[in-house]
Amino acid sequence: MIYTVGEAAAKIGVNPSTLRYYDKEGLLPFVERSGGGIRMFKETDLEWLSTIECLKKTGMPIKEIKQFIDWCIRAT
């Protein structure tokens, strides 16, 4: 199933603007876009988003979360 920004945000309990900010900061390199540039979130992306939210709640800075995401993507 494919989710919009609003649907994905509702699933993980954040505002859509939060997901847009994460994307702007480079935390969502795994999210695909449509031909028109619309973000298309899959179930696996929601798992990543939950991980990001969990790390954020620990107080980890966005810069370090980005580094963690980059390491994880390189390892796969």
Side-chain angles (χ1 to χ4, degrees):
M1 178 167 212
I2 302 295
Y3 301 99
T4 64
V5 170
E7 292 168 336
K11 285 262 189 198
I12 65 163
V14 299
N15 289 319
S17 60
T18 299
L19 296 186
R20 289 183 190 100
Y21 171 72
Y22 289 170
D23 191 28
K24 184 181 126 219
E25 292 298 314
L27 299 181
L28 309 179
F30 46 84
V31 175
E32 294 180 22
R33 290 182 180 255
S34 70
I38 297 171
R39 295 170 192 89
M40 302 183 307
F41 293 87
K42 299 177 289 193
E43 291 293 333
T44 53
D45 299 336
L46 297 180
E47 293 171 15
W48 278 105
L49 293 173
S50 294
T51 300
I52 291 168
E53 280 304 296
C54 183
L55 293 172
K56 191 168 178 276
K57 288 178 183 175
T58 69
M60 183 182 280
I62 294 291
K63 183 178 178 180
E64 290 179 20
I65 294 173
K66 181 183 179 334
Q67 186 174 41
F68 176 79
I69 296 294
D70 290 344
W71 287 338
C72 290
I73 289 173
R74 270 189 263 157
T76 57

